[in-house]
Amino acid sequence: MQSNLLTTPKQKLDNSKNALYLAAKGNPRRRFHALYDKVHRGDILWEAWKRVKANGGSGGVDGVTIEYIVKEYGEERFVSEIQDALRNGKYHPQPARRKEIPKQDGKMRPLGIPVIRDRVVQMATKMVLEPIFEADFKDCSYGFRPKRSAHDAIRHIRRAVKKGVYWVVDIDITGYFDNIPHGKLMQLVEQRISDRRELKLIRKWLKAGFVKDDQFHETEMGSPQGGVISPLLANIYLNYLDTIWEKKFAEIGTLVRYADDLVVLCKTKEQALRAIDVLKAVFAKLELEMNKKKSKLVNLWGDGQGSDFLGMHHRKIPKRMKGNKEVFVLRSYYGLDSFADKFLNKIDWYIRKRLTLFWNKKHNRRNKHSKSGQTAILAELAGLKKLAG
């Protein structure tokens, strides 16, 4: 009897993404033209809607919410209407709703909230385009990419430091998302995409504008934070920096980037100063500006200031070992610090012990310390996280 050869919608989607990735990886100069039809494919739009629904969030300028679509309007009707609009060329994005959210420095960060219909189309577009550009993205980039995280970026930094890094160039880009030039961004997109309808779709989102305090504002530059497609476009733009660095300047230092947050790890001060000059030149070409107030040059070994990256502090500090020997260790995020693990493991052990005592007392067990392994599994299933990495 033959096995079932039917392909599930998820397998079909995965196969499509893998095919695009392999095609792009196999030919770095290939430009893709038949993409718009994939964006309005039923299975891709439905998966895009499911992801938007799972992400939640408030509605846009039209007032339509996810709850309203699910409980009143109808999900199938909603997705079907999006598909028809895309097929018939009648889809036009609406302006984003501008919301200000506080930053750590006390200032406000502008956030653009597209209407839910636009979020679905952007998600479908991201699902189609992402495999193509993932074939080009470099290993130094970690932000908003599949199977990559801030933890991975920190591990990259720690590996570099172990090889003898003394200096860190910590760079902040002034208003990155709001200052991306549309023309140059589209030139980089067009290096891989030749589908005119797809390119027109992206330009529409960039030019859709935003509404703040009931006032419409045009957008002549930038890719607003909050849009589903914005992180991918932001990575496409700064991949120019990653590529140039890998080809010509890797010997200066190790570049680690998470979206618009980036550091260069150097062995000497001369290399660090050279890295700053290179970054200034590349930013000038990209029409971006280095934030001089927030960017800094730090000596990990002798500077008490240290370096902050992705909300984690990095600094070499002395540690007294056996035999009165002093060594310098890098301190950062607790889950990646082997020295901190020794103490955090003790806390984990104590918590498990108390839970075991509680569990056995509740079930009237004679041996109050038994079943500790089972208790640990139940605690993990209930959502308890370990402190140690």
Side-chain angles (χ1 to χ4, degrees), residues 61 93 109 172 246:
V61 294
R109 183 193 307 276
D172 183 87
E246 183 181 272

Side-chain angles (χ1 to χ4, degrees), residues 89-109:
K90 296 182 179 180
Y91 167 77
H92 300 286
Q94 294 181 260
R97 178 167 64 88
R98 176 63 64 91
K99 180 180 179 181
E100 305 286 336
I101 58 175
K103 297 168 62 176
Q104 290 183 349
D105 59 6
K107 296 182 180 180
M108 305 300 288
R109 183 193 307 276

Side-chain angles (χ1 to χ4, degrees), residues 302-320:
D303 193 334
Q305 184 181 13
S307 173
D308 295 310
F309 185 62
L310 302 179
M312 305 172 195
H313 188 69
H314 307 272
R315 179 162 52 97
K316 285 280 191 176
I317 63 173
K319 178 178 176 62
R320 190 69 61 182

Side-chain angles (χ1 to χ4, degrees), residues 169-183:
V169 180
D170 189 347
I171 298 297
D172 183 87
I173 303 174
T174 302
Y176 173 61
F177 281 86
D178 291 330
N179 290 292
I180 300 176
H182 291 171

Side-chain angles (χ1 to χ4, degrees), residues 148-161:
R148 285 176 166 246
S149 68
H151 290 187
D152 296 323
I154 299 302
R155 291 188 182 95
H156 194 152
I157 291 175
R158 293 178 66 84
R159 289 195 300 269
V161 170

Side-chain angles (χ1 to χ4, degrees), residues 18-53:
N18 290 338
L20 287 170
Y21 175 83
L22 292 173
K25 198 70 174 178
N27 185 355
R29 295 182 177 275
R30 176 173 175 178
R31 299 175 72 218
F32 292 78
H33 63 276
L35 298 176
Y36 188 83
D37 291 341
K38 290 182 172 63
V39 171
H40 63 65
R41 214 171 71 187
D43 59 327
I44 291 180
L45 275 177
W46 187 253
E47 177 62 26
W49 157 245
K50 289 197 298 183
R51 294 186 185 186
V52 169
K53 181 173 67 170

Side-chain angles (χ1 to χ4, degrees), residues 12-22 51 127 130-131:
K12 183 180 179 182
L13 178 60
D14 290 342
N15 291 341
S16 178
K17 291 167 66 176
N18 290 338
L20 287 170
Y21 175 83
L22 292 173
R51 294 186 185 186
M127 290 162 56
E130 190 172 61

